Amino acid sequence: MSENPEIGLRVDVGGVGTNYIQSGEGPPLILIHGSGPGVTAYANWRGVIPDFAQHFTCYAPDTLGFGYTDFPADIEGFAMERWVGHLIGFMDALGIERAHFIGNSYGGALTLALAVRHPERVARMALMGAAGLPFPISEGLRKVWGYQPSLEAMRDLMTTFAHNPALVKEEIVRSRYKASIRPGAQEAYASLFPEPRQRWLDALATDEAALAALPHPTLVIHGRDDVIVPPALSVRFNQLIPNSELHIFGKCGHWTQIEKRDRFVELVIPFLQST
């Protein structure tokens, strides 16, 4: 077992070695991270997995292009079908027929895309600061996808994620920076969302008619002060998805699971347990 907590278990998904964190017992819950530089499933979810693991078997994979999952050489930019295919392959490889999902930001867009394409594989889902509808790319997201490695750039980026800069501890900054300069990490990351970046944001979007046809119970969560993904997207998700509810946190940016950790857990666990 690696001493690095970001490295968990490994499974072959169609020839792609996929790193994932697994914890807990109970119904399967898959957590999909966001798209920031240096992100891993562990970095995104470490603060809440212990809570969820008391009720669910949590699976948190590093998606293609991130963390310690292999990055196939033939990938040229983000392609929704391939990313969704990788997640379905991940479920198949672990024998997970159906699961609850929590998707953060880009991970929320992946969750929605998977639910539309494979509705039978999704039980309930929670979307947190989710992309998945068209919007003019924000300056905050331009910073995220245009990151060039330096400690100062990472510190600036992390303070963009949080409404309260005091939450951005130096340990987080240094950890994410070190992850972003691992051999090959920046090359893979930069290849996912190159300029012009609006096209990749558009590629994350799901058709509104498809969203309106989703049968899944959906909890939509957003920080009111998010400068990465506009809260208006979550309001629109709530308008479109028939069986959805919306919670918007004041004094909160793009890091709901960190900035409003306790309340986030209190909301999500009972929602996923509902029948």
Side-chain angles (χ1 to χ4, degrees):
M1 181 68 73
S2 170
E3 293 183 3
N4 181 351
E6 295 184 315
I7 299 175
L9 302 173
R10 197 163 187 86
V11 64
D12 183 280
V13 178
V16 176
T18 300
N19 178 62
Y20 68 102
I21 306 300
Q22 180 176 334
S23 183
E25 294 182 2
L29 169 62
I30 298 176
L31 301 100
I32 310 298
H33 60 74
S35 66
V39 75
T40 61
Y42 176 82
N44 203 137
W45 300 113
R46 64 179 178 173
V48 295
I49 280 180
D51 299 86
F52 289 116
Q54 295 178 38
H55 307 275
F56 306 97
T57 304
C58 298
Y59 302 89
D62 290 348
T63 65
L64 289 175
F66 297 94
Y68 293 87
T69 288
D70 291 347
F71 189 58
D74 64 334
I75 288 180
E76 296 181 1
F78 176 82
M80 182 62 82
E81 295 302 332
R82 188 153 189 185
W83 264 252
V84 169
H86 177 250
L87 289 176
I88 290 295
F90 174 77
M91 295 178 73
D92 290 345
L94 296 180
I96 303 169
E97 292 186 12
R98 193 165 179 257
H100 300 305
F101 280 79
I102 306 176
N104 174 205
S105 191
Y106 131 104
L110 292 189
T111 298
L112 287 167
L114 189 150
V116 164
R117 291 162 175 78
H118 304 275
E120 74 287 353
R121 308 300 294 267
V122 179
R124 288 173 168 259
M125 55 184 173
L127 309 174
M128 188 181 75
L133 286 170
F135 67 93
I137 190 167
S138 64
E139 286 307 307
L141 187 53
R142 284 189 189 279
K143 269 193 194 179
V144 172
W145 285 354
Y147 168 81
Q148 292 295 319
S150 77
L151 201 55
E152 294 72 23
M154 184 61 79
R155 188 176 293 109
D156 177 58
L157 197 55
M158 294 298 96
T159 57
T160 301
F161 276 83
H163 174 67
N164 178 5
L167 290 171
V168 181
K169 306 301 183 186
E170 190 65 14
E171 181 269 333
I172 295 175
V173 174
R174 291 186 177 275
S175 172
R176 289 287 291 265
Y177 169 66
K178 287 173 67 176
S180 77
I181 58 171
R182 283 191 302 110
Q186 176 61 18
E187 290 81 0
Y189 184 72
S191 74
L192 288 178
F193 309 108
E195 291 281 13
R197 296 195 168 94
Q198 182 68 49
R199 59 183 161 156
W200 310 116
L201 186 55
D202 295 343
L204 283 171
T206 292
D207 180 73
E208 287 199 356
L211 293 175
L214 284 173
H216 310 86
T218 304
L219 176 62
V220 186
I221 296 172
H222 217 115
R224 183 192 62 201
D225 308 295
D226 189 341
V227 298
I228 310 290
V229 177
L233 262 69
S234 284
V235 174
R236 186 62 178 152
F237 286 138
N238 178 233
Q239 292 170 339
L240 289 167
I241 300 172
N243 195 9
S244 67
E245 53 188 271
L246 172 66
H247 192 101
I248 293 182
F249 286 100
K251 296 184 178 179
C252 182
H254 197 55
W255 268 355
T256 311
Q257 84 280 26
I258 295 174
E259 296 179 81
K260 302 293 181 180
R261 196 206 83 86
D262 292 350
R263 186 70 183 118
F264 173 77
V265 168
E266 290 173 359
L267 279 171
V268 175
I269 289 175
F271 172 79
L272 296 179
Q273 291 177 321
S274 298
T275 57

PDB file of all heavy atoms in Angstrom, residues 27-58:
ATOM      1  N   PRO A  27     -24.908   0.725   0.352  1.00  0.00           N
ATOM      2  CA  PRO A  27     -25.199   0.942  -1.062  1.00  0.00           C
ATOM      3  C   PRO A  27     -24.062   1.712  -1.737  1.00  0.00           C
ATOM      4  O   PRO A  27     -23.433   2.572  -1.103  1.00  0.00           O
ATOM      5  CB  PRO A  27     -26.494   1.770  -1.044  1.00  0.00           C
ATOM      6  CG  PRO A  27     -27.080   1.543   0.312  1.00  0.00           C
ATOM      7  CD  PRO A  27     -25.938   1.302   1.233  1.00  0.00           C
ATOM      8  N   PRO A  28     -23.785   1.432  -3.007  1.00  0.00           N
ATOM      9  CA  PRO A  28     -22.663   2.106  -3.676  1.00  0.00           C
ATOM     10  C   PRO A  28     -22.929   3.584  -3.922  1.00  0.00           C
ATOM     11  O   PRO A  28     -24.017   3.974  -4.339  1.00  0.00           O
ATOM     12  CB  PRO A  28     -22.503   1.341  -4.987  1.00  0.00           C
ATOM     13  CG  PRO A  28     -23.792   0.636  -5.199  1.00  0.00           C
ATOM     14  CD  PRO A  28     -24.383   0.384  -3.851  1.00  0.00           C
ATOM     15  N   LEU A  29     -21.915   4.397  -3.664  1.00  0.00           N
ATOM     16  CA  LEU A  29     -21.942   5.838  -3.900  1.00  0.00           C
ATOM     17  C   LEU A  29     -20.665   6.211  -4.642  1.00  0.00           C
ATOM     18  O   LEU A  29     -19.567   5.939  -4.154  1.00  0.00           O
ATOM     19  CB  LEU A  29     -22.020   6.597  -2.570  1.00  0.00           C
ATOM     20  CG  LEU A  29     -21.789   8.109  -2.614  1.00  0.00           C
ATOM     21  CD1 LEU A  29     -22.848   8.808  -3.462  1.00  0.00           C
ATOM     22  CD2 LEU A  29     -21.755   8.686  -1.189  1.00  0.00           C
ATOM     23  N   ILE A  30     -20.813   6.784  -5.825  1.00  0.00           N
ATOM     24  CA  ILE A  30     -19.666   7.183  -6.637  1.00  0.00           C
ATOM     25  C   ILE A  30     -19.522   8.699  -6.583  1.00  0.00           C
ATOM     26  O   ILE A  30     -20.478   9.429  -6.832  1.00  0.00           O
ATOM     27  CB  ILE A  30     -19.826   6.691  -8.088  1.00  0.00           C
ATOM     28  CG1 ILE A  30     -19.871   5.157  -8.102  1.00  0.00           C
ATOM     29  CG2 ILE A  30     -18.681   7.205  -8.973  1.00  0.00           C
ATOM     30  CD1 ILE A  30     -20.126   4.561  -9.475  1.00  0.00           C
ATOM     31  N   LEU A  31     -18.320   9.171  -6.245  1.00  0.00           N
ATOM     32  CA  LEU A  31     -18.047  10.601  -6.111  1.00  0.00           C
ATOM     33  C   LEU A  31     -17.127  11.030  -7.244  1.00  0.00           C
ATOM     34  O   LEU A  31     -16.032  10.468  -7.404  1.00  0.00           O
ATOM     35  CB  LEU A  31     -17.407  10.898  -4.757  1.00  0.00           C
ATOM     36  CG  LEU A  31     -18.232  10.494  -3.528  1.00  0.00           C
ATOM     37  CD1 LEU A  31     -17.735   9.172  -2.957  1.00  0.00           C
ATOM     38  CD2 LEU A  31     -18.184  11.561  -2.443  1.00  0.00           C
ATOM     39  N   ILE A  32     -17.553  12.018  -8.024  1.00  0.00           N
ATOM     40  CA  ILE A  32     -16.803  12.476  -9.195  1.00  0.00           C
ATOM     41  C   ILE A  32     -16.261  13.884  -8.915  1.00  0.00           C
ATOM     42  O   ILE A  32     -17.018  14.823  -8.673  1.00  0.00           O
ATOM     43  CB  ILE A  32     -17.673  12.494 -10.460  1.00  0.00           C
ATOM     44  CG1 ILE A  32     -18.409  11.152 -10.635  1.00  0.00           C
ATOM     45  CG2 ILE A  32     -16.825  12.808 -11.685  1.00  0.00           C
ATOM     46  CD1 ILE A  32     -17.505   9.964 -10.822  1.00  0.00           C
ATOM     47  N   HIS A  33     -14.938  14.011  -8.968  1.00  0.00           N
ATOM     48  CA  HIS A  33     -14.247  15.252  -8.627  1.00  0.00           C
ATOM     49  C   HIS A  33     -14.377  16.320  -9.715  1.00  0.00           C
ATOM     50  O   HIS A  33     -14.884  16.061 -10.809  1.00  0.00           O
ATOM     51  CB  HIS A  33     -12.770  14.960  -8.352  1.00  0.00           C
ATOM     52  CG  HIS A  33     -12.048  14.361  -9.533  1.00  0.00           C
ATOM     53  ND1 HIS A  33     -11.688  15.092 -10.642  1.00  0.00           N
ATOM     54  CD2 HIS A  33     -11.627  13.087  -9.774  1.00  0.00           C
ATOM     55  CE1 HIS A  33     -11.076  14.305 -11.514  1.00  0.00           C
ATOM     56  NE2 HIS A  33     -11.025  13.089 -11.026  1.00  0.00           N
ATOM     57  N   GLY A  34     -13.877  17.520  -9.426  1.00  0.00           N
ATOM     58  CA  GLY A  34     -13.856  18.620 -10.382  1.00  0.00           C
ATOM     59  C   GLY A  34     -12.615  18.599 -11.255  1.00  0.00           C
ATOM     60  O   GLY A  34     -11.846  17.626 -11.265  1.00  0.00           O
ATOM     61  N   SER A  35     -12.376  19.699 -11.989  1.00  0.00           N
ATOM     62  CA  SER A  35     -11.350  19.695 -13.036  1.00  0.00           C
ATOM     63  C   SER A  35     -10.180  20.641 -12.767  1.00  0.00           C
ATOM     64  O   SER A  35      -9.508  21.076 -13.695  1.00  0.00           O
ATOM     65  CB  SER A  35     -11.984  20.066 -14.382  1.00  0.00           C
ATOM     66  OG  SER A  35     -12.442  21.410 -14.375  1.00  0.00           O
ATOM     67  N   GLY A  36      -9.931  20.963 -11.509  1.00  0.00           N
ATOM     68  CA  GLY A  36      -8.828  21.872 -11.226  1.00  0.00           C
ATOM     69  C   GLY A  36      -7.472  21.197 -11.351  1.00  0.00           C
ATOM     70  O   GLY A  36      -7.357  19.973 -11.250  1.00  0.00           O
ATOM     71  N   PRO A  37      -6.394  21.964 -11.561  1.00  0.00           N
ATOM     72  CA  PRO A  37      -5.057  21.390 -11.650  1.00  0.00           C
ATOM     73  C   PRO A  37      -4.635  20.765 -10.329  1.00  0.00           C
ATOM     74  O   PRO A  37      -4.929  21.291  -9.262  1.00  0.00           O
ATOM     75  CB  PRO A  37      -4.178  22.594 -11.999  1.00  0.00           C
ATOM     76  CG  PRO A  37      -4.930  23.780 -11.488  1.00  0.00           C
ATOM     77  CD  PRO A  37      -6.379  23.435 -11.659  1.00  0.00           C
ATOM     78  N   GLY A  38      -3.973  19.615 -10.420  1.00  0.00           N
ATOM     79  CA  GLY A  38      -3.522  18.932  -9.219  1.00  0.00           C
ATOM     80  C   GLY A  38      -4.612  18.210  -8.461  1.00  0.00           C
ATOM     81  O   GLY A  38      -4.361  17.655  -7.380  1.00  0.00           O
ATOM     82  N   VAL A  39      -5.830  18.166  -9.018  1.00  0.00           N
ATOM     83  CA  VAL A  39      -6.923  17.525  -8.303  1.00  0.00           C
ATOM     84  C   VAL A  39      -6.795  16.006  -8.393  1.00  0.00           C
ATOM     85  O   VAL A  39      -6.295  15.457  -9.368  1.00  0.00           O
ATOM     86  CB  VAL A  39      -8.302  17.977  -8.839  1.00  0.00           C
ATOM     87  CG1 VAL A  39      -8.621  17.333 -10.187  1.00  0.00           C
ATOM     88  CG2 VAL A  39      -9.403  17.672  -7.831  1.00  0.00           C
ATOM     89  N   THR A  40      -7.227  15.352  -7.338  1.00  0.00           N
ATOM     90  CA  THR A  40      -7.432  13.914  -7.320  1.00  0.00           C
ATOM     91  C   THR A  40      -8.754  13.666  -6.604  1.00  0.00           C
ATOM     92  O   THR A  40      -9.295  14.559  -5.946  1.00  0.00           O
ATOM     93  CB  THR A  40      -6.317  13.181  -6.548  1.00  0.00           C
ATOM     94  OG1 THR A  40      -6.319  13.641  -5.187  1.00  0.00           O
ATOM     95  CG2 THR A  40      -4.949  13.414  -7.177  1.00  0.00           C
ATOM     96  N   ALA A  41      -9.246  12.438  -6.716  1.00  0.00           N
ATOM     97  CA  ALA A  41     -10.465  12.101  -5.992  1.00  0.00           C
ATOM     98  C   ALA A  41     -10.267  12.305  -4.498  1.00  0.00           C
ATOM     99  O   ALA A  41     -11.133  12.843  -3.804  1.00  0.00           O
ATOM    100  CB  ALA A  41     -10.858  10.659  -6.296  1.00  0.00           C
ATOM    101  N   TYR A  42      -9.100  11.906  -3.999  1.00  0.00           N
ATOM    102  CA  TYR A  42      -8.819  12.041  -2.574  1.00  0.00           C
ATOM    103  C   TYR A  42      -8.808  13.506  -2.154  1.00  0.00           C
ATOM    104  O   TYR A  42      -9.413  13.887  -1.140  1.00  0.00           O
ATOM    105  CB  TYR A  42      -7.476  11.388  -2.234  1.00  0.00           C
ATOM    106  CG  TYR A  42      -7.071  11.559  -0.790  1.00  0.00           C
ATOM    107  CD1 TYR A  42      -7.580  10.723   0.196  1.00  0.00           C
ATOM    108  CD2 TYR A  42      -6.180  12.572  -0.417  1.00  0.00           C
ATOM    109  CE1 TYR A  42      -7.209  10.891   1.528  1.00  0.00           C
ATOM    110  CE2 TYR A  42      -5.805  12.738   0.907  1.00  0.00           C
ATOM    111  CZ  TYR A  42      -6.326  11.908   1.879  1.00  0.00           C
ATOM    112  OH  TYR A  42      -5.972  12.079   3.196  1.00  0.00           O
ATOM    113  N   ALA A  43      -8.116  14.355  -2.935  1.00  0.00           N
ATOM    114  CA  ALA A  43      -8.031  15.774  -2.593  1.00  0.00           C
ATOM    115  C   ALA A  43      -9.411  16.419  -2.563  1.00  0.00           C
ATOM    116  O   ALA A  43      -9.706  17.259  -1.707  1.00  0.00           O
ATOM    117  CB  ALA A  43      -7.127  16.504  -3.585  1.00  0.00           C
ATOM    118  N   ASN A  44     -10.265  16.027  -3.503  1.00  0.00           N
ATOM    119  CA  ASN A  44     -11.590  16.634  -3.625  1.00  0.00           C
ATOM    120  C   ASN A  44     -12.527  16.199  -2.487  1.00  0.00           C
ATOM    121  O   ASN A  44     -13.308  16.992  -1.971  1.00  0.00           O
ATOM    122  CB  ASN A  44     -12.206  16.252  -4.964  1.00  0.00           C
ATOM    123  CG  ASN A  44     -13.285  17.215  -5.451  1.00  0.00           C
ATOM    124  OD1 ASN A  44     -13.327  17.566  -6.620  1.00  0.00           O
ATOM    125  ND2 ASN A  44     -14.183  17.625  -4.587  1.00  0.00           N
ATOM    126  N   TRP A  45     -12.424  14.927  -2.093  1.00  0.00           N
ATOM    127  CA  TRP A  45     -13.456  14.341  -1.235  1.00  0.00           C
ATOM    128  C   TRP A  45     -12.979  13.899   0.146  1.00  0.00           C
ATOM    129  O   TRP A  45     -13.778  13.401   0.938  1.00  0.00           O
ATOM    130  CB  TRP A  45     -14.080  13.136  -1.944  1.00  0.00           C
ATOM    131  CG  TRP A  45     -14.714  13.459  -3.246  1.00  0.00           C
ATOM    132  CD1 TRP A  45     -14.307  13.062  -4.487  1.00  0.00           C
ATOM    133  CD2 TRP A  45     -15.889  14.255  -3.466  1.00  0.00           C
ATOM    134  NE1 TRP A  45     -15.142  13.557  -5.463  1.00  0.00           N
ATOM    135  CE2 TRP A  45     -16.125  14.293  -4.860  1.00  0.00           C
ATOM    136  CE3 TRP A  45     -16.762  14.942  -2.620  1.00  0.00           C
ATOM    137  CZ2 TRP A  45     -17.190  14.989  -5.424  1.00  0.00           C
ATOM    138  CZ3 TRP A  45     -17.832  15.637  -3.174  1.00  0.00           C
ATOM    139  CH2 TRP A  45     -18.030  15.650  -4.571  1.00  0.00           C
ATOM    140  N   ARG A  46     -11.699  14.106   0.464  1.00  0.00           N
ATOM    141  CA  ARG A  46     -11.172  13.532   1.703  1.00  0.00           C
ATOM    142  C   ARG A  46     -11.884  14.039   2.950  1.00  0.00           C
ATOM    143  O   ARG A  46     -11.985  13.325   3.957  1.00  0.00           O
ATOM    144  CB  ARG A  46      -9.672  13.801   1.813  1.00  0.00           C
ATOM    145  CG  ARG A  46      -9.300  15.279   1.923  1.00  0.00           C
ATOM    146  CD  ARG A  46      -7.801  15.456   2.050  1.00  0.00           C
ATOM    147  NE  ARG A  46      -7.423  16.857   2.110  1.00  0.00           N
ATOM    148  CZ  ARG A  46      -6.183  17.265   2.358  1.00  0.00           C
ATOM    149  NH1 ARG A  46      -5.222  16.384   2.558  1.00  0.00           N
ATOM    150  NH2 ARG A  46      -5.909  18.553   2.385  1.00  0.00           N
ATOM    151  N   GLY A  47     -12.396  15.262   2.899  1.00  0.00           N
ATOM    152  CA  GLY A  47     -13.044  15.829   4.077  1.00  0.00           C
ATOM    153  C   GLY A  47     -14.418  15.264   4.378  1.00  0.00           C
ATOM    154  O   GLY A  47     -14.926  15.419   5.497  1.00  0.00           O
ATOM    155  N   VAL A  48     -15.042  14.606   3.382  1.00  0.00           N
ATOM    156  CA  VAL A  48     -16.413  14.112   3.592  1.00  0.00           C
ATOM    157  C   VAL A  48     -16.543  12.602   3.434  1.00  0.00           C
ATOM    158  O   VAL A  48     -17.545  12.030   3.887  1.00  0.00           O
ATOM    159  CB  VAL A  48     -17.408  14.815   2.637  1.00  0.00           C
ATOM    160  CG1 VAL A  48     -17.489  16.294   2.954  1.00  0.00           C
ATOM    161  CG2 VAL A  48     -17.038  14.611   1.169  1.00  0.00           C
ATOM    162  N   ILE A  49     -15.573  11.937   2.824  1.00  0.00           N
ATOM    163  CA  ILE A  49     -15.686  10.488   2.642  1.00  0.00           C
ATOM    164  C   ILE A  49     -15.891   9.762   3.977  1.00  0.00           C
ATOM    165  O   ILE A  49     -16.727   8.840   4.047  1.00  0.00           O
ATOM    166  CB  ILE A  49     -14.470   9.929   1.872  1.00  0.00           C
ATOM    167  CG1 ILE A  49     -14.660  10.185   0.371  1.00  0.00           C
ATOM    168  CG2 ILE A  49     -14.287   8.438   2.122  1.00  0.00           C
ATOM    169  CD1 ILE A  49     -13.517   9.683  -0.505  1.00  0.00           C
ATOM    170  N   PRO A  50     -15.192  10.127   5.069  1.00  0.00           N
ATOM    171  CA  PRO A  50     -15.447   9.407   6.326  1.00  0.00           C
ATOM    172  C   PRO A  50     -16.903   9.462   6.773  1.00  0.00           C
ATOM    173  O   PRO A  50     -17.415   8.485   7.340  1.00  0.00           O
ATOM    174  CB  PRO A  50     -14.525  10.122   7.323  1.00  0.00           C
ATOM    175  CG  PRO A  50     -13.414  10.658   6.488  1.00  0.00           C
ATOM    176  CD  PRO A  50     -14.066  11.080   5.203  1.00  0.00           C
ATOM    177  N   ASP A  51     -17.586  10.570   6.503  1.00  0.00           N
ATOM    178  CA  ASP A  51     -19.005  10.689   6.871  1.00  0.00           C
ATOM    179  C   ASP A  51     -19.874   9.810   5.980  1.00  0.00           C
ATOM    180  O   ASP A  51     -20.741   9.075   6.459  1.00  0.00           O
ATOM    181  CB  ASP A  51     -19.447  12.149   6.758  1.00  0.00           C
ATOM    182  CG  ASP A  51     -18.683  13.068   7.690  1.00  0.00           C
ATOM    183  OD1 ASP A  51     -17.587  13.536   7.303  1.00  0.00           O
ATOM    184  OD2 ASP A  51     -19.165  13.309   8.797  1.00  0.00           O
ATOM    185  N   PHE A  52     -19.640   9.892   4.671  1.00  0.00           N
ATOM    186  CA  PHE A  52     -20.435   9.090   3.743  1.00  0.00           C
ATOM    187  C   PHE A  52     -20.169   7.600   3.920  1.00  0.00           C
ATOM    188  O   PHE A  52     -21.064   6.765   3.730  1.00  0.00           O
ATOM    189  CB  PHE A  52     -20.159   9.515   2.299  1.00  0.00           C
ATOM    190  CG  PHE A  52     -20.718  10.858   1.947  1.00  0.00           C
ATOM    191  CD1 PHE A  52     -19.881  11.911   1.606  1.00  0.00           C
ATOM    192  CD2 PHE A  52     -22.079  11.093   1.977  1.00  0.00           C
ATOM    193  CE1 PHE A  52     -20.392  13.160   1.292  1.00  0.00           C
ATOM    194  CE2 PHE A  52     -22.610  12.338   1.661  1.00  0.00           C
ATOM    195  CZ  PHE A  52     -21.763  13.377   1.317  1.00  0.00           C
ATOM    196  N   ALA A  53     -18.938   7.246   4.286  1.00  0.00           N
ATOM    197  CA  ALA A  53     -18.561   5.842   4.429  1.00  0.00           C
ATOM    198  C   ALA A  53     -19.275   5.161   5.597  1.00  0.00           C
ATOM    199  O   ALA A  53     -19.293   3.933   5.672  1.00  0.00           O
ATOM    200  CB  ALA A  53     -17.050   5.718   4.605  1.00  0.00           C
ATOM    201  N   GLN A  54     -19.882   5.932   6.481  1.00  0.00           N
ATOM    202  CA  GLN A  54     -20.675   5.338   7.559  1.00  0.00           C
ATOM    203  C   GLN A  54     -21.998   4.786   7.056  1.00  0.00           C
ATOM    204  O   GLN A  54     -22.656   3.997   7.757  1.00  0.00           O
ATOM    205  CB  GLN A  54     -20.933   6.385   8.649  1.00  0.00           C
ATOM    206  CG  GLN A  54     -19.682   6.853   9.372  1.00  0.00           C
ATOM    207  CD  GLN A  54     -19.987   7.914  10.407  1.00  0.00           C
ATOM    208  OE1 GLN A  54     -21.002   7.858  11.101  1.00  0.00           O
ATOM    209  NE2 GLN A  54     -19.101   8.901  10.528  1.00  0.00           N
ATOM    210  N   HIS A  55     -22.383   5.175   5.842  1.00  0.00           N
ATOM    211  CA  HIS A  55     -23.686   4.789   5.307  1.00  0.00           C
ATOM    212  C   HIS A  55     -23.621   4.119   3.934  1.00  0.00           C
ATOM    213  O   HIS A  55     -24.580   3.456   3.532  1.00  0.00           O
ATOM    214  CB  HIS A  55     -24.580   6.032   5.189  1.00  0.00           C
ATOM    215  CG  HIS A  55     -24.686   6.812   6.452  1.00  0.00           C
ATOM    216  ND1 HIS A  55     -25.588   6.511   7.451  1.00  0.00           N
ATOM    217  CD2 HIS A  55     -23.971   7.890   6.903  1.00  0.00           C
ATOM    218  CE1 HIS A  55     -25.446   7.373   8.452  1.00  0.00           C
ATOM    219  NE2 HIS A  55     -24.484   8.217   8.143  1.00  0.00           N
ATOM    220  N   PHE A  56     -22.522   4.330   3.215  1.00  0.00           N
ATOM    221  CA  PHE A  56     -22.408   3.857   1.837  1.00  0.00           C
ATOM    222  C   PHE A  56     -21.032   3.237   1.602  1.00  0.00           C
ATOM    223  O   PHE A  56     -20.078   3.525   2.321  1.00  0.00           O
ATOM    224  CB  PHE A  56     -22.577   5.025   0.850  1.00  0.00           C
ATOM    225  CG  PHE A  56     -23.823   5.826   1.038  1.00  0.00           C
ATOM    226  CD1 PHE A  56     -23.806   7.016   1.775  1.00  0.00           C
ATOM    227  CD2 PHE A  56     -25.035   5.413   0.497  1.00  0.00           C
ATOM    228  CE1 PHE A  56     -24.947   7.756   1.965  1.00  0.00           C
ATOM    229  CE2 PHE A  56     -26.192   6.152   0.682  1.00  0.00           C
ATOM    230  CZ  PHE A  56     -26.159   7.324   1.417  1.00  0.00           C
ATOM    231  N   THR A  57     -20.949   2.391   0.557  1.00  0.00           N
ATOM    232  CA  THR A  57     -19.634   2.022   0.041  1.00  0.00           C
ATOM    233  C   THR A  57     -19.237   3.102  -0.958  1.00  0.00           C
ATOM    234  O   THR A  57     -19.848   3.235  -2.023  1.00  0.00           O
ATOM    235  CB  THR A  57     -19.665   0.656  -0.663  1.00  0.00           C
ATOM    236  OG1 THR A  57     -20.164  -0.333   0.242  1.00  0.00           O
ATOM    237  CG2 THR A  57     -18.265   0.258  -1.101  1.00  0.00           C
ATOM    238  N   CYS A  58     -18.259   3.906  -0.589  1.00  0.00           N
ATOM    239  CA  CYS A  58     -17.851   5.050  -1.408  1.00  0.00           C
ATOM    240  C   CYS A  58     -16.761   4.641  -2.399  1.00  0.00           C
ATOM    241  O   CYS A  58     -15.777   3.993  -2.011  1.00  0.00           O
ATOM    242  CB  CYS A  58     -17.314   6.174  -0.519  1.00  0.00           C
ATOM    243  SG  CYS A  58     -18.510   6.839   0.646  1.00  0.00           S
TER     244      CYS A  58
END
